[in-house]
Amino acid sequence: MKLTGILAALLVLAVWVSATASDTFSQVWVYEEQGLTGSVLEVLDTEDGYLLVGGPEYRGGGWLGYTAGDGSLLWISGEDDTRTFLCAAVLPGGGFGVLARYDDPNPGADRLLSALYFFDALGNVFLEVILPQNTSWLAYDDMGLFAIGSAPDPAVQQGSAVALQSILRLDYEGNIRWEKRYDEDGYEGLMFQKGQAAGDGLLVTASAVNSRTQARVGLLFRIDQGGEVLWRREFAVDGEAYLTDACLAPDGLIAGTYAAMRYEDDGFPLDRAGTVFGMNLDGELIWEYTLQDEMTADWILPVKNGLLLGSQGLNMLADPYQGQGWVMLLSPDGHPPAEGQTPGLAGSLYELTGISLQADGTVLLGGNHMDEPGFPRAPFVARLKFPEALE
């Protein structure tokens, strides 16, 4: 199989750098009139260039792009309204892996078709694996991949909507080594969200309803290489709690972030609060830090001098417009740095839709550059510029 719509010819890159952006980004590329629409969701720095994982402002229409080292576009895949790409990674033997999620176009269908693609730098797919689950995330390590999602409960009559959360273990030949299914006692509506290979196992974030309190809570699982749950931690608040991201930082620190939401009786948001936490490998809480001004974070990454938080913005309580995203640095023990020692985004003209930590420790951002807040213009890629004091 070959990704459809590949443009083999080199396309001229349109670069637009504002004075404000030059203080925020060490590099920035904005792609205009080149067949790219929507936003860049993920950027992968490779030996020969950059892989761009893109999508529309909302859902469907995913695409891949590959650039030279100077950012000039080499090829793009054709858009498909039923497809979303996620979770790209460089493969140990060369090439790239990516998850593709497809909406089933059949009338009345309520399932997704998930596929794993391995492809080379020219956009040629050399391995395609149809996954027997609705896969929401891939996590890579030295031995293979974990595919995280949901699958029909085999104990329930065929055709039922009941599904269990599922993890598949695959090697880099595309072979499924094992599958585990999960249904946690004491919780309803368990749904796995993201995962990250962490040392000798896997971290998985999830959402569920506590059966006793009937409150929505966030859950964090640590799972071993055989798929067994080592521990599970619940994040509950006065209202609803959503665990948005987690990572393994140096020195065995597990860091994550969750959001607390409260609603009025009519369902309108009343207030919200974001919290960042640090745990040890046994799941014991070490510290917490509450974000100010009702800020909540979508991403957390381990960087050279601590932890990098990022938010797509879209604060419906205060700034319900695209382009209000932000980034923030925290120390490894959960303290914000001194004033001026954290990178900022260039005003509100760069909608942030993805943050990617690269192998060399640098951070690439993806999103959409806008004509003005709320009015998308073209996808962009930028390398985040850290303050000199923290380099």
Side-chain angles (χ1 to χ4, degrees):
M1 176 182 175
K2 184 180 177 69
L3 290 175
T4 60
I6 296 297
L7 300 183
L10 252 171
L11 300 177
V12 178
L13 179 70
V15 179
W16 187 94
V17 184
S18 71
T20 306
S22 65
D23 295 331
T24 302
F25 309 134
S26 58
Q27 292 174 302
V28 59
W29 299 289
V30 177
Y31 296 86
E32 296 183 89
E33 299 177 359
Q34 297 168 75
L36 300 185
T37 61
S39 297
V40 175
L41 308 179
E42 185 179 355
V43 191
L44 194 63
D45 192 349
T46 74
E47 184 176 346
D48 300 314
Y50 300 96
L51 178 70
L52 279 53
V53 180
E57 294 303 311
Y58 299 103
R59 60 171 299 187
W63 50 265
L64 298 174
Y66 192 74
T67 80
D70 63 359
S72 57
L73 194 61
L74 299 177
W75 56 258
I76 59 173
S77 67
E79 287 190 24
D80 183 336
D81 289 340
T82 69
R83 178 183 63 198
T84 303
F85 286 120
L86 294 169
C87 306
V90 176
L91 302 175
F96 317 103
V98 68
L99 169 66
R101 288 166 52 89
Y102 292 87
D103 287 308
D104 193 320
N106 296 323
D110 60 357
R111 67 183 180 86
L112 288 173
L113 172 66
S114 303
L116 169 65
Y117 291 132
F118 290 173
F119 61 98
D120 62 25
L122 298 177
N124 300 307
V125 174
F126 59 85
L127 179 64
E128 176 187 10
V129 180
I130 305 300
L131 299 172
Q133 64 171 196
N134 295 339
T135 308
S136 58
W137 205 260
L138 294 179
Y140 301 78
D141 66 7
D142 292 340
M143 294 182 289
L145 307 90
F146 298 94
I148 301 164
S150 62
D153 186 345
V156 178
Q157 183 177 357
Q158 187 175 6
S160 170
V162 175
L164 296 178
Q165 298 310 289
S166 167
I167 297 179
L168 306 176
R169 182 55 156 156
L170 300 95
D171 61 25
Y172 281 114
E173 302 296 322
N175 303 305
I176 297 175
R177 296 304 184 185
W178 53 254
E179 178 184 6
K180 297 284 187 178
R181 300 190 181 192
Y182 304 81
D183 185 16
E184 291 291 298
D185 291 339
Y187 295 96
E188 304 166 10
L190 176 67
M191 182 175 294
F192 286 167
Q193 296 166 323
K194 294 181 181 180
Q196 182 190 78
D200 58 353
L202 183 68
L203 290 176
V204 177
T205 61
S207 177
V209 173
N210 184 298
S211 300
R212 179 179 60 83
T213 65
Q214 289 300 298
R216 181 158 296 280
V217 298
L219 298 173
L220 179 64
F221 294 83
R222 188 171 180 223
I223 295 171
D224 67 18
Q225 285 284 346
E228 301 300 324
V229 176
L230 299 175
W231 50 255
R232 178 197 70 220
R233 297 293 176 264
E234 177 184 297
F235 296 84
V237 297
D238 177 18
E240 297 186 349
Y242 297 89
L243 187 61
T244 55
D245 203 9
C247 69
L248 179 64
D251 300 322
L253 175 71
I254 295 172
T257 179
Y258 65 91
M261 296 288 297
R262 294 195 305 162
Y263 299 88
E264 296 180 350
D265 292 339
D266 60 2
F268 188 81
L270 177 63
D271 56 28
R272 68 178 190 172
T275 300
V276 188
F277 64 86
M279 289 180 166
N280 63 24
L281 291 177
D282 293 322
E284 298 168 336
L285 187 67
I286 302 173
W287 55 259
E288 283 192 328
Y289 172 74
T290 300
L291 299 170
Q292 304 301 308
D293 301 321
E294 297 191 343
M295 296 165 62
T296 60
D298 296 305
W299 304 283
I300 186 167
L301 299 172
V303 292
K304 180 178 179 182
N305 294 286
L307 301 167
L308 180 70
L309 301 176
S311 173
Q312 187 173 351
L314 295 177
N315 181 355
M316 299 307 294
L317 299 176
D319 300 302
Y321 299 107
Q322 297 160 311
Q324 301 296 326
W326 52 265
V327 291
M328 175 188 292
L329 281 169
L330 291 181
S331 66
D333 57 358
H335 290 91
E339 185 177 353
Q341 290 192 352
T342 193
L345 294 184
S348 58
L349 294 182
Y350 290 88
E351 182 192 17
L352 183 61
T353 56
I355 298 180
S356 305
L357 179 65
Q358 307 303 308
D360 62 0
T362 62
V363 174
L364 290 173
L365 308 179
N368 187 286
H369 177 260
M370 292 175 291
D371 288 316
E372 57 183 276
F375 292 88
R377 175 184 178 183
F380 83 88
V381 172
R383 192 178 298 275
L384 190 62
K385 182 178 181 180
F386 283 83
E388 292 184 5
L390 298 179
E391 287 288 348

